Amino acid sequence: MKVTETSLRRPVTVVVLTLALVYFGLFSYSRMGVQQTPDVDLPVVMVTTTMTGATAAVMDNNVTDVLEEQINTISGIESLSSSSYMGAAVTVVEFDLARDIDAAAADVRDKVNAAQADLPDEADQPIIAKYDIGDSPLVMFSIAGDAPYKDKVYFADKVAKVQFQSVNGVGNVSMPGMREREIRVWIDPVRLRSRGLVVSDLSNAIASKHVELPAGSLSIDRFKMDLRIEGEYSSVEELKGLPITTRNGVVIRLGDVADVEDGFEEEDSEAFVNERSAIVMSVMKQRGANEVEVCDAIVAKFNEMQGLVPEGITMQQIYNKSDFIRRSMNGVGGDIIQAVILCSLLMLFFLQTFRATFVTVISMPVCLIGSFCVLSYLGITINNMSMMAISLAVGMVVDATTVVLENIYTHMHKGLLPFDAALKGTNEVGFSVLGGALTTIGVFAPIATMGGIIGRFFYAFGITVVVTISLSLILSLTLTPFACSRILRITPPGRAAQFCDALLRSLERGYRRLLTAAVHHKTVTLAAALGIFVFGVFVAGKVGSTFSTNDDQGIFIINCELPSGTEIEETGRVMQSVADVARRHPGVMRTIISAGSGSGGESNKGSIYVQLLARKSREAQDVVMNDVRNSVAGFRDVTMNFTTFGGKDVEMVMSGAPTETLAALAQKLTAEMKTMNKLRDVETDVRLDKPQLNISIDRNMTDAMNVDVRSLSTEIQAYFGGVKAGVFKEGGYRYDIRLMARRGQRSSLEDLQIVSFKNGAGEIVQAPGLITVTKVMAPSVIKRYGRQTALTISANVTSDYSMGEAMVYIQELGKKYIPEGSGITLQPSGRTKNMQKEFARLFTALLIAISLMYVIMAVQFESFLHPFTVMFSLPLMTPGTFCLMYAMNVKLDVMAYMGIILLVGIVVNNGIILVDFINQNRLSGMDKVSAVIDAGPRRLRAILITSLSTLIGAIPAALKLSEGSESRQPMSVAIFGGLFTSTLLTLLVVPVVYLVLDNVKERLGRKLFQKALP
């Protein structure tokens, strides 16, 4: 090859370009961002609307339905779902992956604006946000201490939050446990009624007498002077004197009918770090920002802020996501180093000289480091996918180098000079090396362009492997022959080399005898191979499936739910008791409680973040989680679900009937699911268990007394839900002025009867006789899926059960309980839905990979038949892959499926090497049987080197030797098992298949020839 000859004749060029490749690779690596997963822009938009005091049913009918009706007209929607809670509604719009997220958000914004006119006046402006898959806390801080609560709130909200929001890449900053400052106007119904007033009189007075409006300007003596009307009260004491009305010449002021105080909003959340109450500050990143860079900037800002923390307040960092990301990436780096060392020892064993080993091993760091130049240029970061690709590529990058070096070494043993041996040896195998590299690239290139969520995640993986394999091909044709011509020498072997060579020669002789027997007993060989394949398929049916495997990040979440209607104080108390028990486990370091943190801010729900000790100081995360689950099982008044940031294992959506019907069916399904010992944390998100008071209006009485419903509703809402009457400004900040009755005056049914209203004539009318109160049980949330009322049934599975099996089981239960023809459907959602969709895409990618293999090999061999011979090695990977996965209790997830696809490009290389040398032997005059029996042992070392080097590269991740390797293990196990059996069986089956197909070809040729004769 011209490129090889040029590299041999221009050594300085080769050395300089190699050093430049390494230098710029290291430089590029230092500038690449670090993150856990690749940036994936999922076209998902969320619309959040709030309306204080509205029940879930009101939100569903008056807000959710209105918004969905408009949003549903947008083209390209994949799914539309909504959740209506008390006072809040969340609509999630998922678009086709081909849609641009910014364009999708703009379309949703336009439709929401169009629906605005049909929304209730009391509803707040809908908030539209783009969903970010990495929208979990990056860094968490606790703010506590003995200082007054007001000081802690001011520091958290006006100092710390502002400082963190100024950091580049920081998005939302949430603060559970913090009650914002409010000016509370505690209304007294008795005092109001005694003066002939109602709440609307107070709110109207505040709105008209505590207001600052623009006044224009004056021009005096050629100077323009702005006018400002100081119409707002400057202190809470002054606000108490705000006049409401005048009666008999006496001014009735706000302080006469209500208690005005500088306080805080209603407590709707609580937070605790261990047993201590605190304000927890969770800092999120902006969409597309690099996680580790943002974490570092946040921590740096935190260190700068230490001088701003007032006396009596402590601010502590309690969680940093970048710690795990760094440990995980360091773990992959350790895997790569271990793989390089093991591959080096393997090369030394097979090549038996340090010189030859050095020539082979030097290509690994050059190739891997050099690949960072291209990866950095393509915008790929250091993440799980790219580093996993490099880890697996360690063994593959030496394949081409080994084939070239071995052939060069053979020619040097025959007496050729190093230069001539390097040139001739490389030219002989260059086409074979090119074909092998192209087959591997032919598998990985489609992965980089695969559609769906998986395609977005594996883009970095596919590109990384394509780049490294391409570089290894170039180096094998340039650097390797150059190094061989300058470094390799024929020297007498030492004792160790003689011992290794004796072992290998003995192995070659044994293989020759076995191959000879296989060739002469073709039927037995093929029958045995078929039997092994069938056994592998049988075991495959025993291996469960799941979407993805969660990493051991040293943190899990206990989602707690108390009976609906439980007040926040009781929720916090019970969650503290649960956390106290969890902290008794020796592997638990810290608990972080966020009460009132349900999706709709429900007071009866909350989450406990359980942080664990360092991985080396405890058992596996799943073991600790199971221990804690068992230890808190004694709590009877709280439902607990254990999960990680990955969410529940199985989620199924039931839709197509009223909420009451769905809830009744779900109760039957979940009751039977809980009897299944392989399912746990079984729950449904919609239950008719929330106590609700329905207020019925006597229309005849209200009509007779001229009381309109809006005035009546406004008064009740003000007493029991509170209304914003204005804002109070101080120190450049704005604080709401909220009217509301004290808790003691809204704690019984009788309190509803003391509310007063004004009729059309301005007269005071009492509530008794106008309203009737009835207690009912209502849903705490109303769900919609595809514009139909829906609910979700979810569960986790035990380690010996799979997501796929659980999905089938729940669907069978659905057939048992859901009446036929009812129109009710039960379908996968969340991770379960993604598993179905993405597995279908992966199967398509597998078929494409196999097709590309055939095309590339047909071009390489210039034959339609030989590619079939080589591809008989593909079924031989089945028993090893699935038997090893079953033995190690590894589920078939997207990573394992991807490993199977990768095997398609790896295992055929051994077959290509065999078939290529068989053809060369036949061209040299050998008969086909002799050619087969000669080619196998001659290429045994090359086949073992290429296979074992790839196997070694997969060992560290397969054994989970590093932190964060749980998600990488399934792929490594699949590759190791499949490559192991395919290599062993290929050495016997492919030569036999070669002879069988060649015999068939000859018979067909003779028949066609005989028919052609006259």
Side-chain angles (χ1 to χ4, degrees):
M1 290 187 175
K2 187 66 176 176
V3 65
T4 302
E5 183 178 356
T6 301
S7 66
L8 290 171
R9 297 187 182 281
R10 307 194 65 171
V12 175
T13 302
V14 174
V15 172
V16 170
L17 290 179
T18 301
L19 292 176
L21 184 64
V22 173
Y23 172 79
F24 286 110
L26 292 172
F27 177 75
S28 299
Y29 176 80
S30 66
R31 297 172 63 88
M32 293 173 70
V34 181
Q35 53 191 150
Q36 186 174 2
T37 57
D39 279 328
V40 178
D41 276 344
L42 296 179
V44 179
V45 181
M46 298 177 64
V47 182
T48 304
T49 311
T50 57
M51 187 164 65
T52 304
T55 64
V58 172
M59 294 300 299
D60 181 66
N61 293 326
N62 296 353
V63 176
T64 300
D65 186 57
V66 173
L67 291 175
E68 282 195 351
E69 186 176 3
Q70 287 288 341
I71 294 173
N72 196 48
T73 60
I74 302 174
S75 61
I77 293 180
E78 181 74 17
S79 67
L80 177 64
S81 59
S82 296
S83 302
S84 299
Y85 304 92
M86 177 72 177
V90 179
T91 301
V92 180
V93 191
E94 180 184 352
F95 290 88
D96 296 331
L97 285 172
R99 281 295 300 268
D100 177 72
I101 181 63
D102 294 320
D107 288 345
V108 172
R109 188 174 292 107
D110 291 341
K111 293 299 180 181
V112 169
N113 290 336
Q116 193 78 28
D118 297 325
L119 292 177
D121 295 337
E122 294 78 13
D124 297 324
Q125 177 76 25
I127 299 173
I128 301 165
K130 293 176 283 188
Y131 172 77
D132 187 356
I133 195 170
D135 196 14
S136 61
L138 284 186
V139 188
M140 297 172 70
F141 302 94
S142 68
I143 297 175
D146 300 326
Y149 185 74
K150 181 178 179 180
D151 295 343
K152 288 186 283 188
V153 168
Y154 181 86
F155 172 73
D157 191 37
K158 308 305 182 186
V159 179
K161 180 179 179 180
V162 175
Q163 290 288 325
F164 287 133
Q165 287 177 330
S166 67
V167 175
N168 187 33
V170 167
N172 185 40
V173 179
S174 63
M175 291 183 288
M178 192 196 80
R179 299 162 60 195
E180 292 188 6
R181 181 185 175 190
E182 274 189 351
I183 308 304
R184 305 308 302 261
V185 179
W186 300 112
I187 51 182
D188 186 335
V190 176
R191 289 155 66 183
L192 278 175
R193 188 169 62 249
S194 66
R195 290 169 172 79
L197 299 174
V198 293
V199 177
S200 58
D201 294 324
L202 274 62
S203 59
N204 292 335
I206 294 173
S208 60
K209 298 177 182 179
H210 175 73
V211 62
E212 188 170 274
L213 298 175
S217 61
L218 280 176
S219 296
I220 302 176
D221 295 333
R222 294 180 295 174
F223 287 96
K224 188 174 182 179
M225 305 179 70
D226 296 333
L227 300 178
R228 178 188 177 187
I229 301 175
E230 296 181 349
E232 294 183 346
Y233 292 92
S234 59
S235 70
V236 175
E237 286 300 318
E238 290 183 5
L239 189 62
K240 293 179 182 179
L242 183 144
I244 305 300
T245 187
T246 302
R247 295 285 168 83
N248 301 322
V250 178
V251 178
I252 301 175
R253 302 187 182 276
L254 184 61
D256 297 332
V257 294
D259 296 325
V260 183
E261 63 180 42
D262 192 348
F264 303 94
E265 64 182 356
E266 284 289 289
E267 186 175 26
D268 57 7
S269 69
E270 288 187 346
F272 301 88
V273 178
N274 290 336
E275 70 283 348
R276 191 175 187 184
S277 177
I279 297 173
V280 175
M281 182 171 289
S282 300
V283 186
M284 318 282 188
K285 74 178 182 72
Q286 289 179 355
R287 190 182 186 89
N290 182 269
E291 291 173 328
V292 173
E293 289 181 2
V294 176
C295 284
D296 291 343
I298 292 171
V299 172
K301 179 63 70 174
F302 167 68
N303 293 330
E304 292 177 10
M305 285 169 49
Q306 294 307 302
L308 302 177
V309 181
E311 186 178 352
I313 296 178
T314 59
M315 186 175 184
Q316 179 187 5
Q317 178 184 317
I318 55 178
Y319 173 73
N320 189 334
K321 188 177 181 179
S322 67
D323 292 340
F324 170 75
I325 297 175
R326 283 196 168 92
R327 293 196 303 269
S328 180
M329 295 303 105
N330 291 337
V332 182
D335 290 348
I336 293 173
I337 293 173
Q338 293 174 37
V340 169
I341 294 173
L342 291 174
C343 281
S344 302
L345 295 175
L346 178 72
M347 295 298 112
L348 182 61
F349 173 77
F350 275 96
L351 302 178
Q352 301 158 16
T353 69
F354 285 103
R355 289 174 178 263
T357 303
F358 176 78
V359 171
T360 306
V361 171
I362 193 64
S363 64
M364 286 191 284
V366 172
C367 180
L368 298 180
I369 295 173
S371 65
F372 291 122
C373 293
V374 183
L375 298 180
S376 177
Y377 175 77
L378 295 176
I380 294 175
T381 60
I382 303 297
N383 57 64
N384 257 336
M385 293 293 100
S386 58
M387 293 301 286
M388 179 67 182
I390 290 177
S391 177
L392 291 176
V394 168
M396 293 188 287
V397 297
V398 298
D399 290 352
T401 297
T402 302
V403 173
V404 171
L405 180 141
E406 189 193 32
N407 206 41
I408 293 173
Y409 207 55
T410 300
H411 284 293
M412 290 179 67
H413 270 286
K414 292 179 179 179
L416 286 181
L417 295 174
F419 182 94
D420 297 329
L423 183 59
K424 184 176 181 180
T426 305
N427 288 337
E428 283 183 352
V429 298
F431 193 63
S432 177
V433 167
L434 177 62
L438 288 178
T439 56
T440 306
I441 293 173
V443 171
F444 286 91
I447 290 174
T449 57
M450 190 168 55
I453 297 174
I454 294 301
R456 306 240 175 149
F457 272 106
F458 279 94
Y459 170 77
F461 183 91
I463 289 295
T464 302
V465 176
V466 168
V467 169
T468 52
I469 296 300
S470 301
L471 273 178
S472 70
L473 173 63
I474 295 172
L475 293 175
S476 67
L477 300 177
T478 54
L479 179 62
T480 299
F482 159 75
C484 288
S485 67
R486 297 301 193 275
I487 298 175
L488 278 188
R489 295 293 182 269
I490 303 298
T491 56
R495 290 185 179 181
Q498 290 177 355
F499 176 76
C500 294
D501 187 63
L503 287 178
L504 291 173
R505 288 185 182 278
S506 176
L507 183 63
E508 289 172 355
R509 289 192 297 270
Y511 170 51
R512 183 181 292 275
R513 289 193 295 270
L514 195 60
L515 179 59
T516 302
V519 166
H520 290 95
H521 299 84
K522 300 182 185 67
T523 304
V524 175
T525 302
L526 294 179
L530 178 62
I532 295 173
F533 169 70
V534 171
F535 176 72
V537 174
F538 171 76
V539 176
K542 302 293 183 181
V543 176
S545 60
T546 186
F547 182 62
S548 61
T549 303
N550 294 323
D551 283 324
D552 184 345
Q553 299 189 32
I555 185 171
F556 62 88
I557 306 167
I558 308 175
N559 292 316
C560 301
E561 181 176 357
L562 277 72
S564 293
T566 303
E567 293 191 337
I568 188 66
E569 294 84 359
E570 177 65 10
T571 301
R573 185 192 66 78
V574 173
M575 291 180 67
Q576 280 184 279
S577 300
V578 174
D580 289 341
V581 175
R583 286 197 301 274
R584 295 173 191 169
H585 193 284
V588 174
M589 177 181 65
R590 181 189 293 122
T591 57
I592 305 170
I593 298 175
S594 177
S597 59
S599 301
E602 302 100 318
S603 63
N604 65 313
K605 295 182 180 180
S607 300
I608 304 174
Y609 294 83
V610 183
Q611 288 183 276
L612 308 182
L613 298 172
R615 181 66 181 87
K616 60 183 179 181
S617 304
R618 59 172 170 82
E619 296 177 288
Q621 177 176 289
D622 289 341
V623 175
V624 177
M625 189 159 57
N626 287 334
D627 290 345
V628 174
R629 179 187 281 110
N630 294 331
S631 65
V632 300
F635 288 88
R636 300 302 179 191
D637 295 331
V638 55
T639 301
M640 284 172 280
N641 291 292
F642 289 70
T643 184
T644 63
F645 287 121
K648 284 288 198 71
D649 291 332
V650 185
E651 293 182 2
M652 305 290 287
V653 170
M654 185 188 296
S655 61
T659 300
E660 294 76 13
T661 304
L662 296 178
L665 285 173
Q667 187 176 7
K668 295 178 182 179
L669 263 71
T670 54
E672 186 161 343
M673 288 169 63
K674 289 176 181 178
T675 64
M676 169 66 154
N677 57 7
K678 294 186 177 182
L679 292 177
R680 55 197 179 191
D681 303 330
V682 178
E683 69 169 347
T684 175
D685 57 358
V686 176
R687 292 182 295 277
L688 300 176
D689 60 352
K690 183 178 177 64
Q692 178 176 300
L693 298 177
N694 285 348
I695 302 175
S696 302
I697 301 173
D698 188 329
R699 297 287 182 175
N700 293 328
M701 289 292 292
T702 55
D703 292 346
M705 304 181 91
N706 196 19
V707 177
D708 64 81
V709 175
R710 176 172 288 276
S711 298
L712 185 147
S713 302
T714 301
E715 293 295 320
I716 294 177
Q717 181 188 6
Y719 273 100
F720 302 99
V723 293
K724 178 183 173 182
V727 293
F728 178 79
K729 300 172 186 175
E730 183 179 84
Y733 299 106
R734 297 162 56 91
Y735 305 99
D736 290 346
I737 301 174
R738 185 165 298 277
L739 307 181
M740 197 175 191
R742 289 188 183 275
R743 175 168 292 191
Q745 294 175 319
R746 46 186 172 90
S747 57
S748 67
L749 293 176
E750 289 73 20
D751 291 331
L752 280 168
Q753 302 298 330
I754 63 174
V755 179
S756 301
F757 318 102
K758 274 189 176 181
N759 61 13
E763 300 169 338
I764 298 296
V765 179
Q766 299 293 111
L770 295 181
I771 60 175
T772 304
V773 181
T774 307
K775 185 177 181 180
V776 298
M777 301 304 289
S780 59
V781 58
I782 297 178
K783 297 272 189 174
R784 288 173 177 243
Y785 188 82
R787 298 224 64 201
Q788 290 185 316
T789 306
L791 57 76
T792 301
I793 298 172
S794 60
N796 287 322
V797 300
T798 57
S799 59
D800 59 343
Y801 204 53
S802 70
M803 179 190 296
E805 292 171 309
M807 180 182 66
V808 173
Y809 171 74
I810 297 173
Q811 287 176 329
E812 290 300 320
L813 285 183
K815 294 177 182 178
K816 176 180 177 181
Y817 288 107
I818 297 175
E820 291 187 13
S822 63
I824 299 174
T825 61
L826 184 64
Q827 55 188 316
S829 69
R831 298 176 71 189
T832 316
K833 176 184 175 183
N834 288 336
M835 183 184 75
Q836 281 192 323
K837 292 172 57 178
E838 302 309 325
F839 271 31
R841 286 193 173 95
L842 288 169
F843 182 72
T844 302
L846 178 62
L847 296 180
I848 293 174
I850 294 173
S851 302
L852 284 174
M853 292 303 97
Y854 178 83
V855 171
I856 293 172
M857 288 187 291
V859 173
Q860 180 180 359
F861 293 119
E862 191 57 33
S863 167
F864 293 108
L865 190 62
H866 290 323
F868 282 114
T869 304
V870 175
M871 291 176 71
F872 265 89
S873 61
L874 296 180
L876 304 179
M877 69 185 183
T878 304
T881 294
F882 292 106
C883 287
L884 188 59
M885 290 177 65
Y886 182 77
M888 298 185 68
N889 195 27
V890 172
K891 303 293 188 293
L892 178 64
D893 65 359
V894 291
M895 295 293 283
Y897 212 134
M898 188 61 66
I900 293 173
I901 296 175
L902 304 186
L903 279 173
V904 172
I906 296 174
V907 301
V908 297
N909 288 334
N910 296 332
I912 290 173
I913 293 174
L914 275 176
V915 172
D916 189 47
F917 265 77
I918 292 171
N919 290 337
Q920 289 186 27
N921 283 345
R922 295 187 69 180
L923 289 174
S924 65
M926 288 187 183
D927 65 90
K928 59 185 176 183
V929 176
S930 300
V932 166
I933 295 175
D934 177 74
R938 284 183 60 191
R939 303 314 303 158
L940 178 63
R941 296 193 185 191
I943 290 173
L944 290 179
I945 290 175
T946 55
S947 297
L948 290 177
S949 60
T950 304
L951 286 175
I952 285 174
I955 286 176
L959 296 178
K960 296 194 293 187
L961 297 180
S962 62
E963 191 165 355
S965 60
E966 287 79 11
S967 61
R968 302 190 296 269
Q969 184 196 27
M971 179 184 290
S972 298
V973 170
I975 290 175
F976 188 97
L979 187 56
F980 181 80
T981 55
S982 69
T983 300
L984 294 181
L985 296 176
T986 294
L987 292 171
L988 298 175
V989 175
V990 168
V992 171
V993 172
Y994 180 93
L995 293 175
V996 170
L997 292 181
D998 197 72
N999 290 338
V1000 172
K1001 177 184 176 183
E1002 289 180 355
R1003 292 193 191 99
L1004 290 175
R1006 284 196 297 269
K1007 289 182 179 180
L1008 292 175
F1009 179 73
Q1010 290 173 357
K1011 288 183 179 180
L1013 291 177

